[in-house]
Each structure stands twice: as structure tokens, then as C-alpha cells.
Amino acid sequence: MIRVADVNHQIDGNPILTNVSCDIPQGEVTALIGPNGAGKSTLLKLMGRIEPLQTGHVAINDLDVGTTPSGQLALEMAYLGQNLSVASRLRVRELIGFGRWPHCKGHPGPVDHAAVHDALVMFDLVPFADRFLDELSGGQAQRAHLAMTFAQTTPWMLLDEPLNNLDMAHSRALMKRLSDLRDAGRSVVIVLHDLNHAAAWADHLIAMKNGRIAASGTAEEVLTPQTLAALYETDVQVLRYAGRPLVLHHI
Amino acid sequence: MSETVLQHPNLRLRQAATWLRHPVLWLSIALFLFCMIWLFQGLSGNYEFILKLRMKKLAALLTVGSAVAVSTILFQTVSANRILTPSIMGFDALYVMMQTLLVAALGTTGFAMIGAAPKFIVETGAMTVMALLLFGTLLRKGARDITRMILTGVILGTLFRAGSGLIGRVLDPNAFATVQSVSFANFSRAHTDVLGIGATITVLGCVIAMWLAPRFDVLGLGRDRAIALGLPHGRIVVAALGLVAVLVSVSTALVGPVAFFGLIVAGLAHAIAQRRPGGAHHRILLPVAALVAMCVLVGGQTFFERVMGQQATLSVVVEFLGGLFFLFLLLKGKIR
């Protein structure tokens, strides 16, 4: 379980997060949703110790994020941010290899090579394995970074808008893969903009607005016309399809 | 069965061929040849004396080459781009300024009394502290904004040079002469009084850099990813900048500031190393860059001293070509 307690965060005096407390259950896919600038990415960064905590506490599997050695946390959780630019000129295989760094510290063994190969296969990247990252399309690069995060094989995965740049087929494949990982006992926290992906695949939703948690619960509980209207300040219809909410946000 | 027997020598040969294509190997062979030519070409008369002189110069060139190469590659990794070098950011100007300041504070006699090596250590120490304070804050805040970094570098370089100039004006002429001799690049007359300590520090620096190489690889992925992979980011940045400051001090103390040499070396090293899988890793990149730099210096110096008969100087040509390469990188817009 990830336990977030009384987290406040400011950037240049502007409050980004205000009194955020929540528990993120283990063994589930948890989606963070909300309008732009709600503080979803900041919360994810604080959970992933990418930014230092200003006040409050975050603990992952009872390890305090502020005090546990970073190398130990890298075996507990993998984080994928939105920024995909890499200064080093790397091949796809080399990038994915870095996902094994917390395990092998730069001296990969057979287990690490196998994990890299699995990640390549899983994300349809075998034909591009020896291409440079700057020779890939946006979606292919996104998949390469996802593959690196998968290769880290951690109990927790924190993904910030991983569907960016992905086409329909790869988006669905990714969400399916995340739910398979969930079935295998791993936990996922994912920032999503597409509410229908959240409705179809997430077990638990946390809706954020203006740096506060506006609602949380199952898709049924959160994706109601009233909650969404308040969250995005616009009217949205919600239908039902195959036992799940279907948000008609595009019409 | 017969097939495997037949294939075996072929495979061996191919393996040997791949090894020969390893850049570290062929660059080492090239460097060895250059060094031999430098040492033994046109040797006549008092062998012992000439060889001793040539060895001293050779050691200075090798030290400078590896110091410039390793410091440039490390700085590019920390600042996450391929166009900035410590020199462009004003590291060596900072060193010259620290040196001028120390001369002004202690006076020439005080300076002469403490000897070359302790003086060098004091200068390097002061330089490292200053560099960590300045560039540490700069890089922690906004390394992604390359335009700002270049502008800051240009301004800092001008500031440091102007600072040295200002202090130089109030110095007495004797002290000023001491300062001036280190303000211009000169590969032919290296300041060999600090060669022993400079070479020792450079070897140590290179060993530490190679030891930390896998961590620098992770650092090259950018701050967020490095932290996510569990790298103690802040500490590695400080280690890299400290190495850069020390190595720049060595090369500046030996031959004076060289603005664009590091840029050429890093550009060539990336181009050579990239053709191999894993070439972006510092375990390969650092030795390739050091070897390239040493080859250019030893080969170039041989050419200008022995063939051209000192009609032109290596530093001017290297700076000219390096400047053109810098412009080319800027105009191509590939500043990453």
C-alpha cells in the first residue's frame, strides 16, 4: 500500500498540493484523474521521490519515501515521467537495459538480458532494438520508455500519462498488460486523461482538482455525471456499457 | 561435425576482426605510433638529453589530452547536451582568475617560496570550491535550458577574464608577467614544473571517472530517470563537477586555456564510439575521447614542430577548427 499523509507542496509560493492524504491499495490498478493543473503529476513525483517532500509523509509498503535509501526504493517502484528526451544517444536495447540498473548496477547478467528481451518482445520493439532513440516515432519512443520501466520488474509502477503518443491498439494493449500485471499481484498507479480507459481498466480512481482530492472510489462511484461536472466544470453524459461506465466526453 | 570444424577458424578470425575494430584498440595503436615518431624522429647528437626533453613534453601532452577529454565528456553528461564544454562555460577562465587572485594576495615572492606543487594544489582547491558553488547551483536549477546555459557561460567567461585583467592591472610588472604566461594556450612550452603532480592527479581522476562510469551512464538519462533508478543524483553531479574542475585546473596550469579543443575531441569521440553497440556508455566513451585527444595533440604537435618547423602553432589551428565545429553545431540546430 502507498500511504500519503498530509502532503502539502508549493512551487515558487504557489500551492500545488493542499492537505493531500490518501491510501492507494496494493494489487490494484489505481488511476489518477482530473483537469490540467490539478496536481496529479506532482503527487506522482512525490510518491516516486523524484521531487523531495516539503511537508507530510509518503510510505510505500511501509518504507518511508523520505528516509529509505533511493536504491532500495528503486527495487520497490518504477517511475515513468512525461519527459522523454534523453541527452545520451542510446539504442532502444540500451535504454531498456537501464531498467535493470537497480538490480545489476551496470553489470548485467543473464537474468538482466532475459528481462530486457522480454520487455522488447512485450512492447513490439524487437525490430527496433538496435535503432537509436532519435530515429523512432513518438509512439515508438514512448513504448521504449515503457519497456524500460517494465524491465525494472518492481512490485509498484508509477506511470505519468503513459498513453501519450500511443495509437489505439497500443493504448489498449498497454492497459491490458497493466491489468495482467495486477492479476499477477503487482500494483499500478497511473495518471490518465482518457476517462474511458480509467473506466474500463482501473480498479480504483482518485479524482483531483486544484491540488486536493475531489473524489475517490471505484469507477462506478467516481464516474458519475455529477462528480465529473464538478471536477471538469463542464456537463458530461455517462452511459453504461458492458457493466462499466462509458463517458461521452467528446460530444 | 565437419561443418563445425570448418567454421571454427573462420569464427576465430571474425572474432579477431571485431576486436581489431574496437576503437580503444586501434586508437591505442595509433597513439603508440605517434608517440614513437615523436620520440625517435630525427634523433641525433646528445641522445640522452633530447630524449629526456621529448619525454617530458610528451608526458605533458598526454596529461593535457586526457584531462581535457575526460573533463569535457563528464561536463556534457552533467549538463545533458553535446555543445557545452567546461571551457565554453568559463572553467579555465575561472582557473586563471583564481591564479591571478592568489598572485595578488601572496605576491610573487610569497608565491615562489611555497613551490610549484603546493601552489598548484592551493589553486586547484580554490578553483574546485568556486566551480562547485557556481556550476552546482546553475546545473541543479535549469540544465535543460541550453540557451540560458550558453549565455551564462559566455557571461561568466567574460566576467572571469575581465576579473583577471582588472587584478592584473593593479599587480606589479613582475607578478603580472607570471600571470600572463599562463593566460594563453601554448602546447610547445608546457609548464612542466607542475607536470609531476598534474599527471598524478589526472591519472587518479581518470581512474575515479572510470570507476564511476556506470553511474555517469545513468546520470546521462536525465535527473528524473536517474532518481527513479535509485541513483544518488546530487552526489554524482557533485562528483562529476569536482572531477571536471580538477582536470581543467591541470590542463590550464600546464598549457593555458584551450577553448574549443574539448569540443572537437568530444564530437569525434561520440562519432567513433557510437558505431559500436554500447558506445554511449562511459566505460567506452571516456577512453575513446582520451585517446582521440592524445592522438590529436601528439600527432599535431609532431607535425607543427618537425614538419612545419614552428611556422604555425597547434593551438591556433585547433582553436580555429574547433570554433568552426562549434558554429557548425549551433547552425545545424542539433544542440542536444
Side-chain angles (χ1 to χ4, degrees):
Chain A
M1 180 160 79
I2 294 183
R3 174 160 278 165
V4 178
D6 305 320
V7 167
N8 286 280
H9 198 79
Q10 295 189 339
I11 297 178
D12 296 334
N14 299 316
I16 307 295
L17 295 175
T18 317
N19 290 329
V20 172
S21 297
C22 60
D23 287 345
I24 296 177
Q26 192 158 5
E28 292 191 0
V29 174
T30 301
L32 291 175
I33 60 167
N36 298 132
K40 309 179 292 289
S41 293
T42 306
L43 181 59
L44 203 71
K45 276 187 180 161
L46 293 176
M47 289 197 259
R49 48 95 175 77
I50 306 300
E51 298 294 337
L53 278 166
Q54 292 173 347
T55 59
H57 292 278
V58 174
I60 176 164
N61 294 351
D62 293 328
L63 298 172
D64 188 85
V65 167
T67 54
T68 309
S70 190
Q72 190 182 344
L73 288 172
L75 297 170
E76 291 292 328
M77 61 179 167
Y79 167 87
L80 177 67
Q82 289 187 49
N83 176 17
L84 296 187
S85 65
V86 177
S88 314
R89 194 149 190 264
L90 295 173
R91 290 177 173 83
V92 171
R93 192 193 300 278
E94 291 163 359
L95 177 79
I96 300 174
F98 278 113
R100 299 303 299 171
W101 202 79
H103 302 267
C104 69
K105 304 285 178 196
H107 304 284
V111 182
D112 304 302
H113 291 301
V116 170
H117 184 75
D118 289 349
L120 277 171
V121 173
M122 198 184 277
F123 286 91
D124 300 332
L125 288 166
V126 177
F128 313 111
D130 292 311
R131 281 227 213 144
F132 285 108
L133 281 176
D134 51 12
E135 293 166 354
L136 297 181
S137 77
Q140 290 163 345
Q142 177 78 30
R143 270 149 56 202
H145 282 89
L146 277 164
M148 169 184 155
T149 315
F150 270 71
Q152 210 174 326
T153 49
T154 46
W156 283 86
M157 295 180 68
L158 313 181
L159 308 173
D160 197 350
E161 297 192 29
L163 302 184
N164 280 354
N165 296 324
L166 293 188
D167 61 29
M168 188 180 70
H170 282 112
S171 298
R172 182 162 58 191
L174 173 67
M175 296 311 290
K176 172 82 174 70
R177 209 160 284 138
L178 293 177
S179 82
D180 288 347
L181 286 179
R182 182 256 330 267
D183 295 340
R186 288 160 74 179
S187 322
V188 181
V189 185
I190 179 170
V191 175
L192 280 178
H193 267 301
D194 188 327
L195 295 175
N196 287 324
H197 276 113
W201 299 102
D203 307 300
H204 186 74
L205 272 74
I206 296 176
M208 294 184 67
K209 189 181 183 186
N210 294 333
R212 294 168 193 274
I213 290 178
S216 67
T218 61
E220 302 284 323
E221 291 160 7
V222 176
L223 298 178
T224 60
Q226 297 77 18
T227 314
L228 290 179
L231 193 62
Y232 292 95
E233 289 170 14
T234 179
D235 285 330
V236 196
Q237 282 190 60
V238 180
L239 305 181
R240 293 193 62 80
Y241 177 78
R244 292 257 186 181
L246 177 68
V247 184
L248 301 181
H249 54 75
H250 53 292
I251 40 176
Chain B
M1 182 67 195
S2 63
E3 219 180 330
T4 48
V5 173
L6 273 175
Q7 264 181 357
H8 203 67
N10 198 355
L11 205 76
R12 275 261 174 94
L13 229 113
R14 216 184 296 163
Q15 269 174 350
T18 11
W19 262 106
L20 266 177
R21 261 185 277 143
H22 198 297
V24 173
L25 189 72
W26 62 257
L27 280 169
S28 302
I29 294 172
L31 179 64
F32 179 75
L33 291 177
F34 280 132
C35 290
M36 287 300 115
I37 295 173
W38 168 264
L39 284 176
F40 296 112
Q41 181 270 332
L43 200 60
S44 63
N46 189 345
Y47 286 75
E48 208 179 316
F49 176 74
I50 297 177
L51 265 182
K52 223 179 198 171
L53 201 72
R54 287 185 175 181
M55 291 237 274
K56 228 178 189 176
K57 268 188 157 183
L58 180 68
L61 289 178
L62 296 181
T63 306
V64 170
S66 35
V68 168
V70 171
S71 61
T72 306
I73 296 281
L74 289 186
F75 188 77
Q76 292 190 340
T77 301
V78 179
S79 62
N81 75 85
R82 293 272 186 86
I83 199 164
L84 294 181
T85 68
S87 318
I88 295 172
M89 293 302 291
F91 266 72
D92 40 13
L94 176 62
Y95 179 78
V96 172
M97 191 177 85
M98 298 311 292
Q99 205 168 28
T100 320
L101 263 177
L102 277 177
V103 173
L106 296 177
T108 11
T109 35
F111 231 79
M113 276 182 35
I114 51 175
K119 172 187 149 212
F120 174 70
I121 290 175
V122 171
E123 283 167 359
T124 308
M127 152 86 174
T128 310
V129 171
M130 277 295 284
L132 282 180
L133 284 177
L134 258 175
F135 296 99
T137 19
L138 191 67
L139 285 169
R140 208 162 297 156
K141 284 219 165 152
R144 281 199 196 120
D145 191 349
I146 289 172
T147 327
R148 203 184 79 175
M149 289 285 287
I150 295 181
L151 274 175
T152 318
V154 170
I155 290 166
L156 284 179
T158 316
L159 177 72
F160 298 148
R161 269 181 282 272
S164 323
L166 178 71
I167 304 162
R169 274 187 181 73
V170 296
L171 285 178
D172 73 86
N174 281 334
F176 184 64
T178 324
V179 169
Q180 208 187 19
S181 70
V182 294
S183 311
F184 301 100
N186 191 338
F187 292 116
S188 308
R189 262 171 291 140
H191 297 262
T192 43
D193 51 342
V194 288
L195 181 58
I197 180 133
T200 316
I201 290 179
T202 305
V203 170
L204 264 175
C206 292
V207 169
I208 296 175
M210 282 302 272
W211 175 59
L212 289 174
R215 289 171 184 82
F216 292 143
D217 295 338
V218 180
L219 188 65
L221 294 175
R223 180 183 169 276
D224 289 7
R225 254 177 297 259
I227 294 178
L229 290 174
L231 187 81
H233 181 263
R235 257 181 287 163
I236 297 295
V237 167
V238 168
L241 279 178
L243 282 172
V244 170
V246 170
L247 291 173
V248 169
S249 302
V250 172
S251 78
T252 315
L254 279 171
V255 297
V258 275
F260 292 117
F261 178 53
L263 190 71
I264 300 190
V265 168
L268 281 174
H270 280 297
I272 293 171
Q274 228 162 55
R275 288 164 38 205
R276 273 183 72 80
H281 291 173
H282 286 74
R283 278 267 156 87
I284 295 185
L285 202 54
L286 290 174
V288 165
L291 286 167
V292 166
M294 292 191 277
C295 283
V296 169
L297 282 188
V298 178
Q301 194 60 26
T302 312
F303 180 75
F304 282 104
E305 243 185 78
R306 313 279 170 78
V307 183
M308 302 284 288
Q310 302 277 29
Q311 288 300 301
T313 53
L314 177 62
S315 55
V316 173
V317 175
V318 163
E319 295 298 76
F320 178 68
L321 291 179
L324 282 183
F325 183 54
F326 183 62
L327 274 180
F328 166 74
L329 283 179
L330 271 180
L331 293 177
K332 216 174 68 173
K334 276 212 166 179
I335 37 177
R336 309 190 315 116

